[in-house]
Amino acid sequence: FFFKQKTAYEMLRSLVGSDMCIRDSLKGLGVESSEISPSGGTGLVVNLRGKAPDDGQRLKIIALRADMDALRMQENNPDLPYRSQRAGVAHMCGHDGHVVCLLGGTSLFLDIRDQVPSNKGIRLLFQPAEETLGGALKMIGDGCLVDVSEVYGIHNWPTKQIGRLQVAPGAVMAESNRIDIKVRGKGGHGSDPKNAIDPIPAALEIVSKFYQLVEEYRKEGLRCQGGLPVVHGGTACNVIPDYVTIQGSFRSLEEGTSDRLRKEFQSYSEEIVNRYRCSLEIFSVVTKAPMLINTEEEANHVLSIGKAMFGENAGSEFLPVTASEDFGYFTKECKGAFFFLSSGRHDSDHNIHTPDFNFNDELIPLTSKVWLELIKHRLGL
């Protein structure tokens, strides 16, 4: 089994038809084509009901999600045989590994499927477009949570040595907001600034004010992070540009903080551009992913599995985090929990979203077992 899943893993790393690779792997495990459906574009929903007689209880379906998309970045692992074969695109967040871990859990479930009542089962959600924070909504729109009682998801955590599980009730990952700003001035020759309106000073003050606001919020005790790393203005050293564009993000772990930032930052930005005789052509702060909030009972279910498997290495020491995940859309619609499994070869392994990241294959059998134990626990097996 693990040889077959490792083959799937290598195909996913090479980015060769990930959805078809998953279909083929599922069929190789004995899943029927009729049990596999497309969802969210290139995603898949897999319905696996038990095959034992109905036990007379209500329908119980739990959903298990694995994200499956890559990042637009260059991998720097030239010696790995399963490195990305596509320039500028690579699995540097471990979603390929998440897929294989869920395939592993599926295989273990299929071994006991004949013992599971037909009114109970699992639904696998292989989700595309997590990195762009839109795939979960598309799958929900396609009905992936219909009849689902609970939904669960995992993420690898490479900066802690393998063998730890982290979960907590409440907010565990931040709301993510995208910021887009366009400051309009009046272009001109660099030697004749009196006949131009330079948007650069206004844009720079706006950027500076943003960082001041974030720091003020943090001093108040609000858990938030933000940055405006993309600033574009001008094309030549002797030309005053017509406009400057600014892009960035703001993340928060408290309700209402993003709304406050949106109002206060826009007010300050308008005051700044007016002072420089510019205009605020675009000011947009759009939520791309909601705060990921675990429901208490479901988080405790995961913690009980973690305690049984990892003992004192199951807890919530490094939660919440200010990273973001669109799994929060699932838990807005359905009870559920998102949790982390440490995957580092040591405590300072290469982090996700870095060019040297390399998913630790030792996590595959471990996570597969976690999935199985969670399935058994929640289906009363």
Side-chain angles (χ1 to χ4, degrees):
F1 156 69
F2 283 114
F3 172 79
K4 291 181 181 178
Q5 300 317 317
K6 180 60 181 175
T7 303
Y9 176 60
E10 291 176 0
M11 289 176 68
L12 283 161
R13 292 283 293 192
S14 300
L15 301 166
V16 180
S18 297
D19 56 339
M20 292 306 300
C21 172
I22 296 169
R23 281 180 180 271
D24 290 344
S25 295
L26 289 165
K27 291 175 183 178
L29 295 174
V31 176
E32 299 293 333
S33 296
S34 59
E35 296 173 314
I36 308 171
S37 303
S39 179
T42 56
L44 297 173
V45 167
V46 185
N47 288 294
L48 300 174
R49 297 277 283 273
K51 292 190 174 182
D54 188 316
D55 64 3
Q57 298 182 24
R58 65 180 179 83
L59 178 67
K60 181 68 177 286
I61 304 294
I62 65 168
L64 313 175
R65 178 268 211 163
D67 41 17
M68 54 186 279
D69 56 329
L71 282 161
R72 293 191 177 277
M73 61 183 294
Q74 186 63 41
E75 183 169 8
N76 184 35
N77 290 312
D79 297 327
L80 292 181
Y82 49 84
R83 66 188 179 277
S84 174
Q85 301 300 303
R86 208 176 275 184
V89 183
H91 275 292
M92 297 290 94
C93 198
H95 295 184
D96 51 348
H98 297 166
V99 167
V100 177
C101 290
L102 186 52
L103 290 171
T106 302
S107 177
L108 298 177
F109 170 77
L110 292 173
D111 288 342
I112 63 168
R113 189 178 187 181
D114 289 343
Q115 306 166 34
V116 180
S118 60
N119 56 309
K120 297 181 179 180
I122 63 174
R123 180 172 298 168
L124 312 178
L125 309 179
F126 293 101
Q127 184 205 312
E130 186 280 324
E131 295 293 356
T132 54
L133 304 176
L137 271 179
K138 290 182 179 178
M139 292 190 74
I140 291 169
D142 285 346
C144 74
L145 293 180
V146 173
D147 293 328
V148 169
S149 303
E150 304 161 17
V151 60
Y152 297 92
I154 66 112
H155 207 291
N156 75 100
W157 204 264
T159 54
K160 295 292 182 182
Q161 189 165 2
I162 193 168
R164 296 166 65 96
L165 182 147
Q166 293 282 294
V167 67
V172 291
M173 299 189 78
E175 174 187 285
S176 177
N177 300 271
R178 173 173 171 148
I179 300 171
D180 289 277
I181 298 170
K182 188 173 185 179
V183 179
R184 173 69 67 175
K186 179 184 176 183
H189 197 288
S191 67
D192 190 22
K194 65 180 182 299
N195 288 316
I197 301 175
D198 192 345
I200 297 291
L204 293 178
E205 190 169 333
I206 287 172
V207 170
S208 178
K209 187 62 185 179
F210 174 81
Y211 285 98
Q212 290 176 26
L213 281 173
V214 173
E215 185 60 26
E216 288 173 12
Y217 292 177
R218 290 173 61 81
K219 286 180 179 178
E220 292 177 19
L222 298 175
R223 298 168 297 174
C224 60
Q225 296 282 1
L228 298 174
V230 182
V231 181
H232 289 158
T235 56
C237 64
N238 58 352
V239 176
I240 296 171
D242 279 319
Y243 61 87
V244 177
T245 59
I246 304 167
Q247 292 180 327
S249 65
F250 179 74
R251 303 167 188 265
S252 173
L253 283 159
E254 269 87 25
E255 295 287 351
T257 305
S258 297
D259 289 337
R260 177 182 169 187
L261 181 280
R262 187 180 291 107
K263 293 175 183 176
E264 293 185 353
F265 186 35
Q266 183 169 4
S267 177
Y268 282 119
S269 298
E270 288 172 347
E271 185 274 324
I272 290 168
V273 295
N274 289 336
R275 186 155 28 89
Y276 285 96
R277 297 185 301 124
C278 295
S279 63
L280 203 58
E281 191 167 295
I282 295 173
F283 185 92
S284 173
V285 181
V286 177
T287 300
K288 302 297 289 183
M291 202 178 307
L292 201 171
I293 299 176
N294 285 343
T295 48
E296 184 171 5
E297 187 175 359
E298 284 62 42
N300 288 335
H301 293 326
V302 174
L303 183 60
S304 68
I305 299 299
K307 292 289 187 183
M309 290 185 64
F310 304 105
E312 63 182 16
N313 286 326
S316 59
E317 294 80 56
F318 60 80
L319 297 178
V321 295
T322 51
S324 302
E325 241 280 359
D326 73 349
F327 189 87
Y329 286 118
F330 291 127
T331 55
K332 286 186 74 170
E333 299 292 327
C334 178
K335 295 187 297 182
F338 191 80
F339 58 102
F340 300 87
L341 289 169
S342 62
S343 58
R345 295 165 183 84
H346 42 75
D347 280 344
S348 58
D349 209 347
H350 295 294
N351 204 356
I352 55 175
H353 289 226
T354 64
D356 302 310
F357 171 75
N358 176 18
F359 187 87
N360 187 355
D361 291 3
E362 292 181 13
L363 191 64
I364 297 171
L366 190 62
T367 307
S368 300
K369 186 69 175 353
V370 170
W371 278 133
L372 177 65
E373 293 304 314
L374 184 60
I375 292 167
K376 290 163 63 177
H377 182 278
R378 299 312 307 134
L379 296 184
L381 304 177

